[in-house]
Amino acid sequence: MDKKAAVARIEEIMREKGITREQFEQNAEVADTVKQWKKNAKRDANGLPSLYSIIKACEYLEVTLGYFFTLEKSEARKIRNDELYDAICALDEESLKLAEAVVKRFRQGCGQ
């Protein structure tokens, strides 16, 4: 994945999560790096982003590297679902009951 593709993927995930460019620039540790990737995309067309910077972007965006590098929507959805399932399995009983209540309330709000 070149820098241009990495920037596009970061922006796609930002849209998914409702994160504005301003929020990213103010809060993400690698915002300046990503901004430079975008600015120099033509000049540095074949340059590869550092894994460290991608990891830092993923940490801010709260996604795994697996999700970041998965470009196919159906596969990305499966990864998210698997990660959510693993997180649910790790909950203690009290937290699990709270999560169930939240999901039930959400589904009622959605008319399901």
Side-chain angles (χ1 to χ4, degrees):
M1 175 180 284
D2 63 17
K3 290 178 182 178
K4 185 177 179 180
V7 169
R9 184 66 175 138
I10 288 168
E11 290 175 344
E12 179 181 13
I13 295 170
M14 286 169 53
R15 283 190 300 277
E16 286 175 9
K17 294 188 166 271
I19 298 170
T20 66
R21 179 170 283 127
E22 292 78 21
Q23 290 170 317
F24 185 79
E25 288 175 359
Q26 290 175 358
N27 300 307
E29 189 176 319
V30 294
D32 289 335
T33 301
V34 174
K35 191 187 264 186
Q36 288 301 315
W37 292 347
K38 190 171 184 173
K39 180 179 177 185
N40 300 322
K42 287 185 180 181
R43 179 175 55 92
D44 195 18
N46 295 323
L48 299 176
S50 73
L51 184 57
Y52 174 82
S53 296
I54 291 176
I55 289 169
K56 288 298 180 186
C58 288
E59 286 173 357
Y60 175 76
L61 297 168
E62 297 179 339
V63 297
T64 63
L65 283 172
Y67 184 77
F68 181 84
F69 285 109
T70 303
L71 300 177
E72 189 175 315
K73 298 278 186 207
S74 62
E75 185 63 23
R77 173 98 183 196
K78 182 184 178 324
I79 289 171
R80 284 177 65 194
N81 289 346
D82 290 347
E83 290 170 354
L84 182 57
Y85 177 78
D86 291 344
I88 290 169
C89 288
L91 294 175
D92 61 37
E93 192 61 32
E94 184 178 332
S95 297
L96 183 58
K97 287 179 183 178
L98 180 59
E100 288 173 333
V102 168
V103 169
K104 183 177 180 180
R105 179 84 170 176
F106 179 76
R107 291 185 79 191
Q108 288 172 345
C110 292
Q112 292 184 355

